[in-house]
């Protein structure tokens, strides 16, 4: 595969937080993830956060496994049928909003996703999504490398 010769370029670590993985970390995490139940849905990406949420649409809510992966992507799965039901489309406009410890929203230009984490970790979801958004699209105040 050898392209640009020897120099094992001493790249400084550019990791800015736990979501900003180096290529080596990514490979390592992917390898470890292979045995996990949700790995097949991650489509080659590293799963950074996963958990059950109720996704409300209209009158009803559906229980889904939500995966935040590198990419970034937000994938939701029907955990009974074990099929991917969809994905929240990520863009620079995507915003997460906390309503209370269980309920959070993900705003996209065309739709707001109403999500509820029955275990009460909504804040962790919002922080994780915001982190990922900053890493991917900038607008970081405290995401400085040095
Ligand atoms: C469905 O309601 C589910 O909430 C779907 O979620 C949702 O699709 C459908 O919205 C909605 O009509 P019922 O199961 O009560 O019919 P899921 O795909 O997770 O099963 P998405 O994926 O878009 O939230 P529409 O508008 O997409 O059809």
């Amino acid at each position: 595969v050898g392209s640009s010769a020897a120099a094992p370029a001493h790249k400084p670590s550019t990791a800015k937080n736990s979501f900003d993985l180096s290529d080596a970390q990514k490979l390592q995490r992917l390898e470890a993830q292979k045995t996990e139940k949700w790995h097949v849905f991650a489509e080659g990406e590293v799963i950074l956060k996963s958990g059950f949420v109720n996704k409300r649409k209209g009158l009803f809510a559906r229980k889904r496994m939500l995966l935040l992966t590198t990419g970034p992507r937000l994938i939701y799965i029907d955990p009974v049928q074990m099929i991917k039901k969809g994905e929240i489309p990520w863009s620079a406009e995507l915003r997460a909003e906390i309503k209370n410890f269980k309920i959070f929203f993900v705003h996209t230009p065309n739709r707001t996703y109403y999500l509820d984490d029955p275990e009460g970790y909504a804040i962790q979801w919002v922080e994780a999504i915001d982190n990922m958004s900053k890493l991917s699209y900038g607008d970081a105040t405290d995401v400085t490398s040095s």
Side-chain angles (χ1 to χ4, degrees), residues 41-98:
F41 299 103
E43 296 172 26
E45 305 275 5
V46 173
I47 300 170
L48 299 167
K49 183 170 172 57
S50 61
F52 290 107
V53 296
N54 295 307
K55 179 172 60 69
R56 186 168 295 281
K57 180 85 196 274
L59 285 181
F60 303 103
R62 300 282 163 214
K63 184 181 179 183
R64 300 290 175 243
M65 168 53 60
L66 183 63
L67 304 181
L68 171 65
T69 73
T70 49
R73 297 171 74 178
L74 277 164
I75 295 164
Y76 51 92
I77 298 146
D78 180 330
V80 176
Q81 298 183 71
M82 284 300 280
I83 53 171
K84 175 180 168 178
K85 295 299 270 193
E87 211 168 308
I88 301 179
W90 211 305
S91 70
E93 284 78 44
L94 183 144
R95 291 280 175 274
E97 182 194 351
I98 182 92

